[in-house]
């Protein structure tokens, strides 16, 4: 399997290069030259597989011969051994008077949010490739909350890897901040930026665009632009489908996906393009509704970032959106470049009526306010005794009129107990990874939102003798 850029400026590369490159050298996102098709027979056979075995099957055509199958199987086993639930991503049926709803619980990993599903695998993949092929990697990433800790837990203590994670100072929840800054391994570098998440993401992208700096410091990405992350996330769509349908390919399922960077919902889109019988993919956003407005109007227009109760989705420029544009525009890189140039120049891009029709058949979308989020947490707790995290509540509210929609439960509610308390007057009991966080020592640097400051900080940290 070879990978090309959504902007057309990267010579086709293999799986290993695509994973190590992260962002395409032309500024675009890497996508497979051709998507593998999964037939009915395969779907049926996969339906009864445990998560790890299924992951191996889903990953194999994308990895090709870049990693021997036995090694890949071991990587997958190791990655999901860190999950506390034996099903890894269990489907939880929560009964209520109206018949109940299904939640796909993605938060049983070491940091209690869904990003562990991808980042436990990516960390082990990096380690395996660096050990096998030699070399070092310095990971640079921005987080609006959950990515950072999940990335840190993916690579903490791994030789040959350093990780630098930027977060917007004071704009991630105290628990999220502590989950990152309490990791004291020498290869972990936390940076609090005085600015927004978009500032952080912009700084990271600017450094990656400096190809000389990137090469000199062996920079790599773990943000949701990394192809391996998307891939790992497609697995649980297949898994949920298998669990619910038993392999009956006549049954199509719908998913509601709390969305920020368009990573998780893009993984669902990918699974559907590969042949998984998915009916409706519901994009559920908070008041940062750029994606919802796009589905409604065909215009993708940046607005100010609003601080909400679901901070992991306080994003205006959704970095994986470009991958969808690529497919929407019939895999034509020059058309992608044209629209992105509009976006760069004017802060907005628009698709024509024909394309908009396609967008609307690909996705439903709804924007959910903080008040609605709280009401959903309260309602679900009162009717079923099940506590939703605010992101999951956004998904549940967005799909409230179609209760057979599976809601992706993206974080454990105890990660967002301020919102939970506001909604139901009590807190969710913390799972093991979230206990005692406030009592642990922390380490974190603080920087202004300037690429000059970031560059200087990285150079200083990387100049230290290897530990
Ligand atoms: C990251 C995150 C999201 C949004 O996922 P994207 O892939 O950025 O769309 C939703 N909920 C939680 C809890 C998250 O951490």
């Amino acid at each position: 399997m070879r990978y090309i850029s959504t902007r057309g400026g990267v010579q086709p590369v293999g799986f290993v290069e695509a994973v190590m490159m992260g962002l395409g050298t032309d500024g675009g996102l890497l996508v497979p030259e051709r998507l593998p098709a999964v037939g009915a027979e395969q779907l049926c056979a996969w339906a009864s597989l445990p998560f790890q075995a299924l992951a191996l099957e889903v990953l194999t055509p994308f990895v090709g011969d870049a990693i021997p199958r036995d090694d890949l199987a071991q990587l997958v086993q190791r990655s999901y051994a860190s999950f506390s639930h034996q099903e890894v991503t269990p489907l939880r049926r929560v009964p209520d008077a109206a018949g109940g709803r299904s939640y796909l619980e993605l938060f049983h990993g070491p940091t209690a949010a869904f990003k562990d599903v991808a980042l436990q695998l990516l960390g082990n993949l990096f380690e395996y490739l660096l050990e096998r092929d030699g070399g070092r990697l310095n990971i640079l990433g921005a987080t609006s909350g959950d990515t950072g800790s999940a990335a840190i837990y993916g690579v903490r203590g791994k030789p040959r890897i350093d990780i630098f994670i930027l977060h917007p100072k004071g704009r991630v929840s105290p628990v999220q901040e502590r989950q990152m800054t309490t990791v004291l391994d020498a290869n972990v570098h936390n940076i609090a930026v005085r600015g927004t998440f978009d500032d952080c993401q912009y700084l990271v992208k600017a450094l990656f665009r400096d190809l000389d700096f990137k090469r000199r410091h062996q920079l790599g990405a773990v943000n949701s632009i990394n192809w391996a992350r998307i891939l790992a996330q497609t697995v649980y769509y297949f898994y949920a489908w298998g669990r619910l349908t038993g392999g009956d390919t006549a049954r199509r399922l719908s998913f509601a996906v709390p969305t920020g960077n368009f990573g998780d919902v893009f993984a669902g889109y990918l699974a559907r393009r590969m042949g998984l019988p998915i009916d409706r993919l519901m994009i559920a956003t908070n008041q940062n509704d750029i994606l919802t407005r796009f589905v409604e109007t065909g215009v993708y227009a940046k607005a100010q970032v609003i601080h909400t109760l679901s901070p992991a989705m306080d994003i205006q420029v959704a970095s994986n959106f470009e991958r969808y544009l690529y497919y929407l525009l019939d895999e034509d890189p020059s058309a992608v470049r044209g629209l992105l140039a509009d976006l760069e120049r004017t802060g907005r891009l628009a698709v024509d009526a024909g394309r908009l029709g396609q967008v609307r058949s690909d996705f439903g979308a709804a924007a959910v306010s903080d008040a609605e989020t709280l009401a959903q947490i309260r309602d679900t707790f009162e009717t079923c005794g099940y506590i939703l995290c605010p992101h999951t509540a956004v998904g549940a509210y967005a799909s409230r009129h179609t209760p057979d929609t599976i809601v992706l439960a993206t974080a454990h509610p105890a990660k967002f107990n301020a919102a939970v308390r506001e909604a139901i007057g009590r807190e969710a009991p913390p799972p093991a990874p979230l206990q005692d966080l406030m009592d642990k020592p922390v380490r974190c640097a603080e920087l202004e939102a300037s690429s000059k400051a970031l560059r200087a900080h990285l150079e200083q940290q990387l100049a230290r003798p290897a530990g």
Side-chain angles (χ1 to χ4, degrees), residues 114-115 146 258-264 312-313 391 410-411:
F114 89 93
K115 294 189 173 73
D146 288 333
T259 305
N261 257 322
F262 205 72
D264 212 0
M313 311 196 303
H391 309 79
T410 53

Side-chain angles (χ1 to χ4, degrees), residues 47-241:
S48 55
L49 294 180
F51 186 93
Q52 289 87 338
L54 175 64
L56 181 62
E57 297 303 331
V58 174
L59 293 174
T60 292
F62 289 96
V63 175
D65 53 13
I67 298 175
R69 188 173 162 92
D70 286 352
D71 290 1
L72 187 60
Q74 269 181 28
L75 278 178
V76 168
Q77 283 297 342
R78 188 141 31 93
S79 301
Y80 298 113
S82 62
F83 278 61
S84 63
H85 198 290
Q86 62 164 11
E87 280 198 68
V88 184
T89 62
L91 197 59
R92 169 105 167 219
R93 184 84 193 155
V94 176
D96 61 22
R101 300 205 66 168
S102 292
Y103 293 90
L104 182 59
E105 291 187 343
L106 305 175
F107 52 71
H108 295 284
T111 73
F114 89 93
K115 294 189 173 73
D116 289 327
V117 178
L119 287 166
Q120 286 293 304
L121 180 71
L122 188 61
N124 285 315
L125 200 52
F126 279 149
E127 182 182 41
Y128 170 84
L129 294 173
L130 293 169
E131 288 293 329
R132 188 187 75 177
D133 304 340
R136 282 199 55 82
L137 174 65
N138 293 307
I139 293 168
L140 175 63
T143 185
S144 58
D146 288 333
T147 312
S149 57
I152 287 169
Y153 274 81
V155 304
R156 66 181 297 183
K158 290 201 191 305
R160 297 174 179 269
I161 301 177
D162 273 57
I163 182 164
F164 295 83
I165 293 293
L166 282 61
H167 68 266
K169 181 176 157 64
R171 291 173 200 241
V172 299
S173 82
V175 169
Q176 287 179 320
E177 188 185 320
R178 286 280 168 151
Q179 279 189 297
M180 295 189 279
T181 58
T182 54
V183 181
L184 302 181
D185 300 70
N187 71 332
V188 173
H189 311 272
N190 280 291
I191 302 168
V193 171
R194 294 190 285 269
T196 63
F197 170 66
D198 282 350
D199 291 332
C200 294
Q201 206 166 28
Y202 181 83
L203 289 179
V204 167
K205 281 199 172 175
L207 273 204
F208 275 116
R209 235 177 271 131
D210 181 341
L211 296 186
D212 177 55
F213 188 89
K214 184 181 172 190
R215 219 175 359 255
R216 211 150 25 92
H217 294 294
Q218 295 137 311
L219 286 194
V222 292
N223 271 2
S224 55
I225 51 176
N226 194 299
W227 178 254
R229 282 190 58 183
I230 300 290
L231 204 49
Q233 290 174 198
T234 60
V235 175
Y236 47 71
Y237 287 92
F238 283 94
Y239 186 74
W241 182 85

